[in-house]
């Protein structure tokens, strides 16, 4: 997203990350330093991930400024709640400021907070919200760089409403008929089937070592891409839940460091989700 720091921002129905562990992260490229608070991922009028000047904060819990973001440079910015302990990371390095953060977390706006707090002149890319998982509990290697091949998406207008489903939370927004119609099969394929494909990405040893890579799921028959995720940086595990049981799939993993070739596994049959 390319944001102008004023009228550009994206709103959507509340995404609840729950009251347990969660992770929110994105790549940010500041084009200018905001004069005060500027929202990145927040709940309107409540709080969330901001920059204050060029310092990332999570208002109202972590407001101390310790590590600045350089202008005109891509930075990975991440907030993690693990066992009610809130931490911030910049480029995979933990900031010294932490806080106790109880209660539910809700996100519904990207790029401003919709209540008079300005946005920031910036680009935001590869944004991810994960409910139920503290992906990082120590310093880490950020999961890949921004994708410079993506076309710019301009969030013009004040309210751009999309149907958004957060990672890790089965959607209740999608209601499908019970008949096995073509439209039902397509909906199950994309949004709400009972199937699962999972695996682990490793760097060949000896011994083999778990590694985080970009993982894409395709439909075998026509090559249609269904989902994309990142394998866990600690365990290498990935999972695609709520997919159709009626088709075969291909999984393709990419090494974002470009030190290894992609790995392909095709003709995969989903297992039934537990």
């Amino acid at each position: 997203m390319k944001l102008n720091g004023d009228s550009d921002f994206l709103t959507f129905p509340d995404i609840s990350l729950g009251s347990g562990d969660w992770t929110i992260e994105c790549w940010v490229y500041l084009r200018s330093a905001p004069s005060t608070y500027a929202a990145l991922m927040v709940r309107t009028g409540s709080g969330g991930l901001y920059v204050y000047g060029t310092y990332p904060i999570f208002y109202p819990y972590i407001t101390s400024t310790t590590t600045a973001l350089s202008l005109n440079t891509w930075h990975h910015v991440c907030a993690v709640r693990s066992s009610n302990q809130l931490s911030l990371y910049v480029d995979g390095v933990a900031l010294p400021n932490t806080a106790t953060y109880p209660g539910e977390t809700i996100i519904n706006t990207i790029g401003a907070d919709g209540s008079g707090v300005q946005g920031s002149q910036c680009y935001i890319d590869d944004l991810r919200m994960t409910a139920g998982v503290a992906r990082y509990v120590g310093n880490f290697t950020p999961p890949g760089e921004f994708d410079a091949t993506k076309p710019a998406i301009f969030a013009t207008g004040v309210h751009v409403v999309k149907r958004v489903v957060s990672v890790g939370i089965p959607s209740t927004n999608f209601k499908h008929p019970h008949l096995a119609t073509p439209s039902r099969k397509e909906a199950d394929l994309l949004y709400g089937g009972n199937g699962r494909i999972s695996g682990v990405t490793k760097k060949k040893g000896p011994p083999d070592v778990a590694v985080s890579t970009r993982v894409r799921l395709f439909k075998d028959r026509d090559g249609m891409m269904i989902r994309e995720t990142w394998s866990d940086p600690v365990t290498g595990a990935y999972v695609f839940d709520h997919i159709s049981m009626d088709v075969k799939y291909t999984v393709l993993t990419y090494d974002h460091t470009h030190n290894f070739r992609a790995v392909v596994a095709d003709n995969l049959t989903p297992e039934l989700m537990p």
Side-chain angles (χ1 to χ4, degrees):
M1 295 197 303
K2 179 182 179 182
L3 303 171
N4 65 8
D6 182 15
S7 59
D8 289 352
F9 60 94
L10 177 68
T11 64
F12 41 84
D14 287 356
I15 292 177
S16 175
L17 300 181
S19 300
D21 294 351
W22 51 253
T23 307
I24 62 175
E25 57 190 308
C26 62
W27 286 87
V28 179
Y29 184 104
L30 291 179
R31 295 183 290 140
S32 65
S35 59
T36 179
Y37 293 95
L40 295 179
M41 289 184 281
V42 303
R43 184 183 188 184
T44 300
S46 178
L49 186 62
Y50 293 78
V51 289
Y52 183 82
T54 57
Y55 295 92
I57 64 172
F58 199 97
Y59 183 84
Y61 297 96
I62 298 179
T63 58
S64 298
T65 55
T66 56
T67 301
L69 305 181
S70 301
L71 296 181
N72 302 311
T73 303
W74 283 101
H75 292 281
H76 185 263
V77 178
C78 179
V80 178
R81 183 167 72 178
S82 177
S83 300
N84 286 340
Q85 189 72 17
L86 177 66
S87 302
L88 289 179
Y89 297 84
V90 173
D91 295 331
V93 178
L95 274 60
N97 313 95
T98 61
T100 300
Y101 182 0
E104 183 182 22
T105 302
I106 292 175
I107 302 293
N108 61 18
T109 309
I110 299 169
D113 85 344
S115 65
V117 173
Q118 73 178 73
S120 57
Q121 284 192 327
C122 70
Y123 301 103
I124 300 177
D125 196 42
D126 286 346
L127 180 150
R128 177 169 64 176
M129 293 177 275
T130 308
V133 178
R135 288 185 175 271
Y136 316 112
V137 291
N139 293 347
F140 62 94
T141 300
E145 298 182 357
F146 71 97
D147 187 349
T149 65
K150 292 179 181 176
I153 300 175
F154 295 88
T156 54
V158 176
H159 296 289
V160 183
V161 180
K162 296 283 187 180
R163 175 174 286 175
V164 178
V165 181
S166 59
V167 176
I169 301 178
S171 172
T172 58
N173 294 326
F174 299 100
K175 306 294 185 182
H176 307 311
H178 293 291
L179 299 177
T181 62
S183 60
R184 164 74 191 280
K185 290 181 179 180
E186 188 70 11
D188 280 355
L189 180 70
L190 296 172
Y191 303 120
N194 296 319
R196 163 182 286 183
I197 286 180
S198 60
V200 176
T201 56
K202 292 184 177 181
K203 180 169 62 175
K204 187 173 179 59
D208 293 348
V209 178
V211 65
S212 179
T213 65
R214 188 188 298 269
V215 186
R216 288 176 175 168
L217 181 71
F218 298 87
K219 189 167 62 169
D220 259 11
R221 183 172 181 178
D222 58 10
M224 175 184 179
M225 192 173 85
I226 308 302
R227 305 274 177 84
E228 180 179 83
T229 188
W230 284 86
S231 57
D232 186 271
V234 176
T235 66
Y238 66 86
V239 61
F240 296 103
D241 278 340
H242 298 284
I243 58 176
S244 173
M245 299 279 291
D246 298 329
V247 299
K248 299 282 190 177
Y249 295 91
T250 294
V251 169
L252 184 60
T253 66
Y254 300 86
D255 172 32
H256 62 277
T257 65
H258 305 298
N259 291 323
F260 304 95
R261 294 185 182 277
V263 176
V264 180
D266 62 354
N267 197 36
L268 299 178
T269 300
E271 62 181 351
L272 185 65
M273 287 180 57

